[in-house]
Amino acid sequence: QFFIMTATMPKQLQNLLTEALGNDVSVIPDEELLKESRNKYRVEHKTVDELFLEIRERIKSGKKVLLVVNTVNEAIRLYDVFTDIDCFCYHSRYIVDHRAKKEKTIEEFEKTKDGYGFLLIATQVVEVSLDIDYDFLYTENAPIDAIIQRAGRVNRKRLKADTEIVIFKHLPITEKIYDVSDILQNTFNFLAEKVKIKA
């Protein structure tokens, strides 16, 4: 017997497991957790550059903001834009030792600077590596599973009010990274429609 636990079990994988294992598969959803409201979502038909003012205002008001983009070059460019505020940059080009030190610094800074606004600019590495709990996420459009993982870094403990996930337009180079038929545009359109319906 074995047990799989995940926050993001795709329906396709559930079906595959059921097909392979027959009637021995049981899915036990966490109903209590699923009923809780965690964050507001907003889809912006803007680039990240058009959101700079809003991001700065939130940091100045003492909020922890996570900004996730899909390429290292874009993360470095944005880090150079925000040199006037407390800002960290975290991506996959760091060697293992430097990444471990950076992760420790980021986690310590977050825990000791409550009510102090700062910005973490990151790439996809933030989806699985850091135990952080931010107030706002600004994320470049990506496949839905990536967005779900990124969103999991905001209001993790469900103790905060008025937290928000903002999805903005992806750069054309992102289509080379996620080279799957129209997955990016389909994700963006789907989220925009769901957010609009919910509102």
Side-chain angles (χ1 to χ4, degrees):
Q1 294 183 353
F2 61 93
F3 178 76
I4 300 171
M5 186 169 76
T6 177
T8 55
M9 172 73 82
K11 193 69 177 165
Q12 252 183 325
L13 183 54
Q14 281 185 39
N15 294 340
L16 186 66
L17 289 169
T18 303
E19 187 180 309
L21 301 174
N23 294 329
D24 292 335
V25 175
S26 297
V27 178
I28 307 167
D30 185 337
E31 299 291 349
E32 185 179 335
L33 189 65
L34 292 172
K35 286 177 187 170
E36 290 185 29
S37 177
R38 188 155 161 183
N39 303 303
K40 295 176 189 168
Y41 283 77
R42 176 165 44 109
V43 176
E44 286 286 354
H45 294 271
K46 295 179 178 178
T47 65
V48 66
D49 293 50
E50 295 172 287
L51 296 167
F52 284 169
L53 182 61
E54 181 180 312
I55 292 169
R56 284 180 183 282
E57 284 173 356
R58 285 183 159 167
I59 294 162
K60 284 178 185 173
S61 71
K63 300 299 181 183
K64 294 181 288 187
V65 177
L66 174 60
L67 173 55
V68 184
V69 291
N70 298 324
T71 66
V72 174
N73 287 343
E74 179 67 352
I76 293 168
R77 180 188 79 85
L78 292 170
Y79 182 68
D80 290 339
V81 167
F82 288 98
T83 53
D84 59 316
I85 60 173
D86 277 319
C87 181
F88 295 100
C89 189
Y90 178 65
H91 54 70
S92 60
R93 279 193 203 153
Y94 294 108
I95 62 171
V96 174
D97 185 46
H98 288 170
R99 264 177 71 177
K101 286 177 184 172
K102 192 163 270 288
E103 284 175 13
K104 188 175 180 183
T105 302
I106 291 166
E107 288 174 355
E108 282 301 312
F109 195 87
E110 184 211 342
K111 288 173 186 165
T112 59
K113 300 287 187 178
D114 196 35
Y116 183 85
F118 61 92
L119 175 66
L120 171 59
I121 299 169
T123 59
Q124 296 90 321
V125 294
V126 78
E127 294 171 15
V128 292
S129 55
L130 289 171
D131 181 18
I132 54 175
D133 186 11
Y134 278 53
D135 302 307
F136 294 95
L137 166 66
Y138 288 82
T139 176
E140 186 175 0
N141 183 44
I144 192 71
D145 57 330
I147 290 175
I148 289 168
Q149 290 295 337
R150 295 171 190 186
R153 273 56 191 151
V154 175
N155 198 11
R156 247 178 125 106
K157 298 169 187 169
R158 291 172 168 78
L159 300 174
K160 301 176 182 180
D162 300 322
T163 54
E164 187 177 42
I165 312 297
V166 180
I167 300 111
F168 56 85
K169 290 193 312 188
H170 62 270
L171 294 172
I173 194 165
T174 300
E175 293 170 13
K176 294 179 182 176
I177 299 167
Y178 300 108
D179 188 20
V180 182
S181 178
D182 297 327
I183 192 168
L184 290 168
Q185 198 56 53
N186 289 341
T187 298
F188 196 77
N189 293 343
F190 174 80
L191 289 170
E193 188 60 32
K194 286 291 180 186
V195 169
K196 190 168 66 178
I197 288 169
K198 191 175 179 182

